Amino acid sequence: MQFLDMKAPYLELKEELDAAYFRFMNSGWYVLGPEADRFEELLAEYCGTEHAVGVSNGLDALCLGLEAGGVKPGDEVIVPSNTYIATWLAVSQVGAIPVPVEPELHTFNIDPARIEAAVTPRTTAIAAVHLFGTPADMAPVMEIAEKHHLFVLEDNAQSQGAFYQGKRTGNLGHAAAFSFYPAKNIGAFGEAGAVTTHDAALADRVRVLRNYGSRVKYRNEVKGYNRRIDALQAAFLAVKLPKLDEWNERRRQIASLYFNGLKDIPGMLLPESPLEKSVWHQFVIRISNRDAVKDALAGQGIPTMIHYPIPPHLSEAYADMKFKRGDFPIAEELADTFLSLPIGPHMSEDDARTVIGELRKILRSS
Ligand SMILES: *Cc1c(COP(=O)(O)O)cnc(C)c1O
C-alpha cells in the first residue's frame, strides 16, 4: 500500500497530458505565454476570483501575496501555531515577524476568538491556513481584519476546491496562495503555485514581482524576482483542474469509510470536521501512543505520516525567536498526537478497509 499514489493521476489522464506535452514542445514558446494564461483563466474561474497569477511554487505564492498585499519588513503577521512551516517562512522572508495564534480543536485551524489578543499596533496582516482540506473559519477572521485594517492572505495549499459559506477557498480573503506541489489535491508534475485575488492592483503587483519587477522587457520598476510559473506545469495543471472536484469526492468517500469504520474505537480521536466541509487533503486521527501505533501499522505494511511532528515555534529554524515548549500547548499537543492515514483519489476502498482492520486490531491489543 502507498500513502499516496503519485503516478495514478498521470495514468488516468495520460492521453490528455501527453497531448499537452507534445503541444507545448512543438509550440516553441516555453516561458509564460498561452499555456500559463490559459491555466490562470481556468483557475480564476474555478475559484470565482477575478484574477489568478501563476507562480513558481506555494512558498513563493505566500511571499508574493504578502509583499503585494503591502506587508513590510518589521511588520507583525498573525499565523497559526499549527501549520506547515512554509506559512511562517513566507512571513520571515518578507522581513516580517510571525505572531502565532493557537488553533480550534475541531478544525485544527486558527481560532478566530484568539486573534484579537495577538493584534498590536505593528500588526498588518493575518495569514490564515486551511489545513488538511478544511477551511478556516474565515467570516470572523475577515471581521477582525476589517476592524483593525489588516490584510488577509489565505494559505490554500491544502484545500483546493473546498467550500466555506458557499464560496471556494481561495476566494475568501484579500488574496490566497496556492501550491501545486505534486502531493496536493491538485498537483503539478514538478513545482508550481498561484495567487488568486479580486484585487486588480494586487494581481498586477504579483505579475510584476514574479517577472523581475518588469512589465515591459528590460524596464524594471521594482526589485522583483524570477518566480514565474513553469509554462509546461501550467499546461499539465489545465488538464488536471477539471478533475479536481471528482478527485475530492473520491477522497471524501475514503474519509467516509474511515469515519464509519473507526468511530467506535476508544482511545482515538477522529477529525471533528463534518464530512462535506473538508476536501480531505489528509485524514488525521489523534492518538496518545501515536509512535507505537505508527510502528505497528508500518509492521503490517501500512504507511502513515505525521503532519507535522515539530510545530514551527519549536523548530530549529525559529530558535532565534526563543520560543519554548509550553508556549503554544495546543499546537504541541496536536504535534505529539497527530497521525495521518493514507488517503487519496486513487486509493481503493479495499485498502481503506485494510487500514481500518489493522488499526482496530492494534488498538485492541495495545
Ligand atoms: C505545501 C504547502 C506550502 C508550500 O508549498 P510549496 O509548493 O511546497 O512551496 C505552503 N503551505 C502549506 C500549508 C502547505 O501544505
Side-chain angles (χ1 to χ4, degrees):
M1 193 185 302
Q2 298 178 70
F3 185 77
L4 176 67
D5 186 340
M6 301 297 295
K7 193 174 166 185
Y10 172 58
L11 297 179
E12 183 178 339
L13 296 172
K14 187 174 185 316
E15 247 172 73
E16 287 169 79
L17 289 165
D18 288 352
Y21 170 79
F22 287 112
R23 183 181 70 234
F24 177 82
M25 294 308 278
N26 282 305
S27 75
W29 190 329
Y30 304 126
V31 174
L32 293 179
E35 299 288 357
D37 292 348
R38 183 152 162 277
F39 174 61
E40 289 176 347
E41 273 167 38
L42 288 173
L43 182 64
E45 190 186 333
Y46 179 84
C47 295
T49 55
E50 292 292 319
H51 308 276
V53 185
V55 302
S56 33
N57 57 58
L59 177 57
D60 288 348
L62 287 164
C63 293
L64 290 169
L66 291 171
E67 188 172 342
V71 174
K72 298 270 183 300
D75 289 1
E76 291 179 5
V77 176
I78 289 170
V79 295
S81 57
N82 180 54
T83 182
Y84 180 53
I85 197 168
T87 322
W88 286 47
L89 291 175
V91 172
S92 301
Q93 285 185 16
V94 300
I97 300 151
V99 176
V101 167
E102 290 266 66
E104 304 175 307
L105 267 183
H106 61 289
T107 63
F108 308 142
N109 284 322
I110 196 163
D111 184 349
R114 295 171 188 264
I115 291 177
E116 276 197 293
V119 174
T120 77
R122 294 210 298 173
T123 311
T124 56
I126 303 172
V129 184
H130 310 305
L131 203 65
F132 302 152
T134 303
D137 191 5
M138 291 300 286
V141 171
M142 295 311 289
E143 260 175 52
I144 295 161
E146 200 168 321
K147 184 168 155 200
H148 297 276
H149 309 289
L150 306 176
F151 171 71
V152 177
L153 180 69
E154 297 167 71
D155 180 338
N156 194 29
Q158 299 194 0
S159 298
Q160 298 104 330
F163 279 99
Y164 172 87
Q165 297 185 354
K167 281 190 190 176
R168 298 257 192 207
T169 55
N171 182 14
L172 304 169
H174 298 117
F178 284 67
S179 163
F180 304 112
Y181 183 77
K184 309 297 188 189
N185 286 33
I186 171 174
F189 297 90
E191 309 272 356
V195 176
T196 55
T197 183
H198 285 294
D199 183 337
L202 191 148
D204 184 63
R205 284 195 290 280
V206 175
R207 282 183 197 284
V208 169
L209 284 170
R210 77 171 172 181
N211 191 34
Y212 286 105
S214 161
R215 200 184 306 266
V216 177
K217 214 172 170 92
Y218 306 133
R219 220 197 95 201
N220 302 85
E221 304 168 26
V222 290
K223 295 184 189 74
Y225 313 93
N226 180 350
R227 292 179 177 171
R228 300 176 290 238
I229 190 169
D230 184 315
L232 177 59
Q233 298 306 330
F236 292 148
L237 286 164
V239 173
K240 288 180 93 179
L241 186 59
K243 276 277 168 184
L244 179 56
D245 287 344
E246 185 187 325
W247 284 344
N248 282 343
E249 199 47 50
R250 286 197 237 155
R251 286 175 181 271
R252 202 165 273 135
Q253 276 163 22
I254 301 293
S256 167
L257 286 176
Y258 280 153
F259 272 119
N260 289 329
L262 299 172
K263 65 184 173 211
D264 55 344
I265 305 187
M268 188 193 73
L269 294 171
L270 286 169
E272 284 175 50
S273 172
L275 193 63
E276 288 309 309
K277 269 199 95 171
S278 181
V279 291
W280 301 104
H281 176 62
Q282 302 297 351
F283 191 94
V284 181
I285 62 172
R286 288 171 59 207
I287 193 157
S288 54
N289 52 343
R290 187 262 318 275
D291 294 332
V293 172
K294 186 178 197 318
D295 289 347
L297 283 168
Q300 299 305 313
I302 295 172
T304 56
M305 291 183 78
I306 300 168
H307 298 101
Y308 299 91
I310 303 171
H313 72 279
L314 296 180
S315 76
E316 287 170 67
Y318 282 97
D320 58 337
M321 291 189 76
K322 307 243 184 310
F323 291 118
K324 53 188 190 313
R325 189 161 266 281
D327 284 349
F328 299 96
I330 301 178
E332 291 164 18
E333 161 82 15
L334 293 177
D336 290 343
T337 55
F338 270 160
L339 184 66
S340 304
L341 304 182
I343 194 165
H346 301 91
M347 184 177 187
S348 71
E349 301 200 348
D350 276 348
D351 278 353
R353 287 189 197 98
T354 303
V355 175
I356 293 165
E358 291 302 332
L359 204 46
R360 295 188 74 95
K361 265 190 246 162
I362 289 163
L363 288 171
R364 226 183 4 244
S365 63
S366 69

